[in-house]
Amino acid sequence: MLDTLYEITGSLKRNKLRTIATGFAVTSGLFLLIVLLGAGNGLIHSFQYNMGSFAFDAIHVYGGITTMPYEGIKEGRRINLDTRDLNMAKTSFSRFISEAMPTLETSGLNVSYGSKHISGCEFDGIYPNYAASQGIKMLEGRFVNDIDIQQKRKVVVIGSNSVTDLFKGGETAIGKILNVSGISYTIIGIFKTNEMSNSTTFYTPYTTLSTIYNRGRFIDELTMNINNIPTESAMNKFMDDYIHATSQIHSFDPSDKRALWIHNQAGDNIVMQKAMSILNTSFWVLGLLTLLSGVVGVSNIMLISVKERTHEFGIRRAIGAHPWHIIRMVILESIVITATFGYIGMVLGVFFCEWMDKAVGGQTMDLGMFQAKYFIDPTVDLHVCIQATIVIIIAGALAGFFPARKAVNVKPIDALRG
């Protein structure tokens, strides 16, 4: 084996240009594969981060204004959701709706603590399961609980950005009393906000807000968590059935698109997951094509190499060399080239992805109403890199095996003439 390695090394040194050309095809193929996959992961990770605080299985329904007459009722009528919509969602669509929650909203409130204040705040009256449904993460204290609902307590959960606006650094906010447009609320918890969160939103018990503002049976928003709807067509069927059922409660034309305002995050998520899958597949296809170009380059060069050495193989056969010895030498030569330059391509690709991460990864883009991070963690799992390297080594071995087998099947006298 040692003699074979010396022989392979000597052959590579004698054919430097051929060796470099083969190595470049291997290195560039692996490098481009890893960089393309890293860039795709950076885009996907940034999307997942920016949308992390949103509930992807939720549908939010609000009342709208009719634009079509219906059974003698003129258009222009406002649709006000109420407890009938809540009961209908829980009973008629229990197969698809795992959770249905009413929400009350009151905006334009002024919140103050001492000399500091925030204007234009929104108070949402919610139930305890709202936090888990919407992915709200608590930093301190607690969220609204069942006792708060039953006793209609004037308590509030505020965002971490609001804590910074209202309190001095290091001051504890839990237990403090806020003045909300003349009404006192006790802070019981602080939830995490980020670039995508609205820092002027506060959460209070549903029953508290309903009592203070005398909202009765009416609700502003109905949030439904969806399950068992895996496809876009199934989601469209569900929405058609739901809108038709709601139209029977409030007497409006089911085809009237303005009667209800619906934010279908669950449906959007199905579409976005499909788009992300296509994006990821596209990067894989492009990467594999570049890897394939490297394999084709290795195959062509090994074919030329074997053809050039047909006379040499004839001499070896004439002096008693076994055919497998010649095939093994060619295969090992191909493996040495692909393994060496494949490793170089893998290392360069990983370092380039790390450079992308440090240079542009995780930067914040100002979109006006909110800020978003982009190109987060544009890296590739090390297992994928190793597997790609192994694939190209195997391909290189096959690229050497087939032309070598063909060459050794030529009779020694014909090879010597060649």
Side-chain angles (χ1 to χ4, degrees):
M1 178 60 72
L2 190 60
D3 292 338
T4 303
L5 291 176
Y6 282 138
E7 193 172 1
I8 291 171
T9 304
S11 175
L12 296 179
K13 288 181 179 179
R14 288 193 304 271
N15 301 279
K16 293 185 177 66
L17 182 60
R18 187 183 70 201
T19 303
I20 293 173
T22 308
F24 178 78
V26 174
T27 300
S28 60
L30 268 175
F31 174 79
L32 291 174
L33 171 66
I34 293 173
V35 170
L36 284 171
L37 292 180
N41 287 337
L43 294 175
I44 293 173
H45 293 160
S46 62
F47 172 80
Q48 292 172 340
Y49 174 86
N50 291 323
M51 303 303 290
S53 60
F54 289 83
F56 286 119
D57 63 344
I59 296 178
H60 305 272
V61 183
Y62 306 83
I65 298 177
T66 61
T67 58
M68 302 170 63
Y70 181 74
E71 295 184 349
I73 306 175
K74 292 184 177 180
E75 67 275 13
R77 177 169 50 93
R78 176 171 292 278
I79 302 299
N80 295 309
L81 301 180
D82 55 44
T83 53
R84 292 176 299 170
D85 297 278
L86 178 64
N87 296 330
M88 180 269 292
K90 289 182 177 180
T91 56
S92 301
F93 296 94
S94 58
R95 176 186 171 189
F96 304 108
I97 299 176
S98 59
E99 197 81 54
M101 298 162 290
T103 301
L104 293 176
E105 298 175 356
T106 301
S107 57
L109 300 177
N110 295 318
V111 177
S112 62
Y113 178 78
S115 60
K116 296 187 176 182
H117 70 280
I118 306 174
S119 58
C121 297
E122 178 181 308
F123 264 55
D124 288 352
I126 44 79
Y127 277 85
N129 49 2
Y130 187 88
S133 170
Q134 301 302 302
I136 297 174
K137 298 181 180 179
M138 298 299 297
L139 298 178
E140 295 182 45
R142 63 176 179 82
F143 200 69
V144 172
N145 60 27
D146 292 328
I147 298 178
D148 297 328
I149 296 291
Q150 294 169 6
Q151 298 183 3
K152 303 178 182 180
R153 291 175 173 174
K154 288 187 288 184
V155 294
V156 65
V157 180
I158 71 175
S160 54
N161 290 347
S162 298
V163 173
T164 303
D165 295 336
L166 293 172
F167 298 93
K168 299 177 181 178
E171 185 178 1
T172 301
I174 302 296
K176 296 295 193 300
I177 306 297
L178 294 181
N179 186 313
V180 182
S181 297
I183 301 174
S184 298
Y185 286 82
T186 302
I187 300 175
I188 59 171
I190 301 171
F191 66 91
K192 181 181 179 180
T193 56
N194 53 38
E195 292 86 353
M196 297 291 289
S197 301
N198 186 352
S199 62
T200 60
T201 298
F202 297 74
Y203 298 111
T204 192
Y206 178 92
T207 52
T208 303
L209 208 63
S210 178
T211 301
I212 291 175
Y213 294 98
N214 192 26
R215 301 300 298 273
R217 64 185 178 89
F218 294 104
I219 61 179
D220 294 317
E221 174 189 349
L222 179 61
T223 301
M224 301 176 293
N225 291 105
I226 304 301
N227 56 17
N228 300 324
I229 305 181
T231 64
E232 189 174 356
S233 59
M235 176 59 71
N236 292 334
K237 176 66 167 56
F238 166 79
M239 291 307 305
D240 290 341
D241 293 342
Y242 175 79
I243 292 173
H244 184 270
T246 306
S247 70
Q248 299 303 304
I249 295 175
H250 297 282
S251 299
F252 65 84
D253 194 317
S255 62
D256 190 346
K257 302 299 182 181
R258 299 292 184 88
L260 295 176
W261 188 84
I262 300 175
H263 183 196
N264 190 349
Q265 290 177 227
D268 294 342
N269 182 52
I270 293 174
V271 176
M272 287 185 290
Q273 290 295 332
K274 183 178 179 181
M276 288 171 60
S277 177
I278 293 174
L279 177 65
N280 191 44
T281 302
S282 299
F283 278 112
W284 265 106
V285 170
L286 290 174
L288 290 175
L289 286 175
T290 59
L291 193 64
L292 180 62
S293 68
V295 172
V296 171
V298 173
S299 302
N300 289 334
I301 294 173
M302 292 307 300
L303 183 63
I304 294 171
S305 173
V306 170
K307 190 173 183 59
E308 288 177 348
R309 299 170 67 183
T310 301
H311 186 75
E312 174 192 335
F313 295 159
I315 295 174
R316 289 175 181 271
R317 290 289 307 280
I319 61 178
H322 193 276
W324 172 243
H325 174 78
I326 298 173
I327 294 174
R328 184 184 64 178
M329 182 183 64
V330 175
I331 291 175
L332 288 176
E333 182 178 328
S334 179
I335 289 176
V336 168
I337 294 174
T338 52
T340 302
F341 288 94
Y343 179 77
I344 293 173
M346 182 186 72
V347 171
L348 290 177
V350 169
F351 272 105
F352 189 83
C353 288
E354 293 293 336
W355 174 82
M356 284 195 300
D357 190 19
K358 293 184 181 298
V360 297
Q363 294 190 13
T364 302
M365 179 170 51
D366 191 351
L367 300 177
M369 295 182 63
F370 57 85
Q371 294 179 327
K373 290 184 180 295
Y374 64 94
F375 221 55
I376 297 175
D377 190 23
T379 56
V380 183
D381 189 275
L382 186 60
H383 292 91
V384 175
C385 299
I386 294 174
Q387 289 168 4
T389 306
I390 292 174
V391 166
I392 202 167
I393 291 173
I394 295 173
L398 294 175
F401 171 75
F402 289 108
R405 187 184 64 172
K406 183 178 180 180
V408 297
N409 286 332
V410 178
K411 293 179 180 181
I413 187 64
D414 294 334
L416 289 172
R417 289 172 181 168

